[in-house]
Amino acid sequence: MKVKVLANFKMNKTRKETKEYLEKLEKVDKGRVEVTIFPPMSALLPSPLVGAQNGYPAEKGAFTGEVGLEQLREFGIDKILIGHSERRQLGETPQFLREKSSFYLENGFQVFFCIGEPMEVHQQGKEAIGAYLLSQLEGIDLSHPNLHIAYEPVWAIGQKVTPSLEMIENIGHFIEKNTQKPILYGGGVKKDNVQEILELSPVEGVLVGSASLDFDHFAQIIQIAKSVAERKQ
Ligand code: 13P
């Protein structure tokens, strides 16, 4: 089975730094691991290893400050993150996220749609978490083969705490049951925990933030994912 390892650089790295990183990444033996980095817009580069952190749901037009399909296509980009909690916090509404997802799916992109509960919902327990996650998926075309789901509990993003493996597995199974899709997990993934997370049955990949910024650390994550992919096939 193909394992996906995604790196979300968020608002980190210049174009020069991203280019150097990508040159090293191209040389890494990835085996059956599908690796994608998502650099800031100013550092987009034409490579099958590069995706976009964002995109406006239109080809082009009068949308000041936005980047649309025409601009992403110039770089051959065909993968996009949608629904990341950091963008939801900036005011992207569920309706806007639905528009974005359907626009980019219609235009042939692989869409990595991010969902995840904040701490106050998490503390209310299993049923509240489930209801919250399902509400985030409302109106999203789950039957589309290019739609992938990234489960990123908001309270674990950029933190040292990660959910227990049992929790990731249970929530992963819940999402899988309701969407017929495996999940990517994100939130505190690093070389020390990536193997056990990838070995969970509903998990087909990981979305790595902070730990991807250091190339050598990320290269080690890829090596671990490569051996899991060989065992999981
Ligand atoms: P961290 O790996 O820094 O927790 O970030 C996860 C994330 O938000 C990836 O999209």
Side-chain angles (χ1 to χ4, degrees):
M1 129 173 196
K2 248 201 153 72
V3 165
K4 297 179 173 63
V5 174
L6 275 51
N8 179 5
F9 286 180
K10 308 190 180 183
M11 203 175 71
N12 293 293
K13 296 198 186 293
T14 61
R15 183 170 190 80
K16 180 169 177 282
E17 288 166 342
T18 306
K19 200 159 175 279
E20 288 164 3
Y21 190 110
L22 185 61
E23 280 164 9
K24 287 193 269 180
L25 186 62
E26 277 162 354
K27 297 195 188 92
V28 169
D29 174 13
K30 301 168 196 73
R32 299 168 67 86
V33 182
E34 193 183 309
V35 179
T36 313
I37 60 168
F38 295 79
M41 288 298 187
S42 59
L44 284 184
L45 291 159
S47 160
L49 296 175
V50 174
Q53 289 178 26
N54 190 20
Y56 193 82
E59 181 148 353
K60 58 181 176 177
F63 302 103
T64 303
E66 295 293 332
V67 166
L69 183 65
E70 184 180 77
Q71 290 78 33
L72 295 179
R73 278 209 174 127
E74 185 181 19
F75 292 92
I77 302 293
D78 63 0
K79 293 180 190 160
I80 187 166
L81 301 180
I82 295 181
H84 194 285
S85 62
E86 287 156 11
R87 295 217 55 87
R88 292 178 192 262
Q89 278 158 15
L90 285 173
E92 294 200 359
T93 62
Q95 173 56 26
F96 189 50
L97 298 176
R98 284 194 280 273
E99 268 174 52
K100 278 192 180 189
S101 304
S102 48
F103 179 82
Y104 281 99
L105 285 173
E106 277 161 23
N107 283 290
F109 275 59
Q110 302 283 325
V111 170
F112 295 90
F113 192 80
C114 308
I115 59 174
E117 80 287 357
M119 189 43 115
E120 60 271 23
V121 172
H122 186 75
Q123 283 165 339
Q124 291 167 36
K126 227 167 92 181
E127 289 198 358
I129 299 171
Y132 189 90
L133 298 177
L134 291 185
S135 76
Q136 290 188 315
L137 291 170
E138 258 168 46
I140 302 299
D141 183 3
L142 298 172
S143 64
H144 202 296
N146 292 346
L147 190 272
H148 311 278
I149 297 167
Y151 170 59
E152 299 203 297
V154 180
W155 52 275
I157 293 178
Q159 307 296 321
K160 294 217 161 40
V161 286
T162 47
S164 66
L165 292 173
E166 192 190 352
M167 208 182 283
I168 300 175
E169 183 156 52
N170 288 343
I171 294 177
H173 277 310
F174 173 82
I175 295 171
E176 198 174 39
K177 193 172 91 199
N178 284 281
T179 65
Q180 316 303 319
K181 286 181 190 289
I183 61 160
L184 284 93
Y185 171 78
V189 176
K190 47 186 184 291
K191 67 178 167 54
D192 308 319
N193 60 14
V194 68
Q195 174 169 341
E196 52 199 23
I197 292 173
L198 283 174
E199 276 169 353
L200 299 173
S201 77
V203 176
E204 67 154 355
V206 285
L207 187 44
V208 190
S210 349
S212 70
L213 296 177
D214 175 63
F215 176 79
D216 293 332
H217 190 127
F218 190 59
Q220 287 181 62
I221 289 179
I222 296 171
Q223 287 322 299
I224 296 165
K226 201 177 140 218
S227 53
V228 176
E230 277 155 19
R231 283 199 301 277
K232 258 192 159 180
Q233 63 178 287

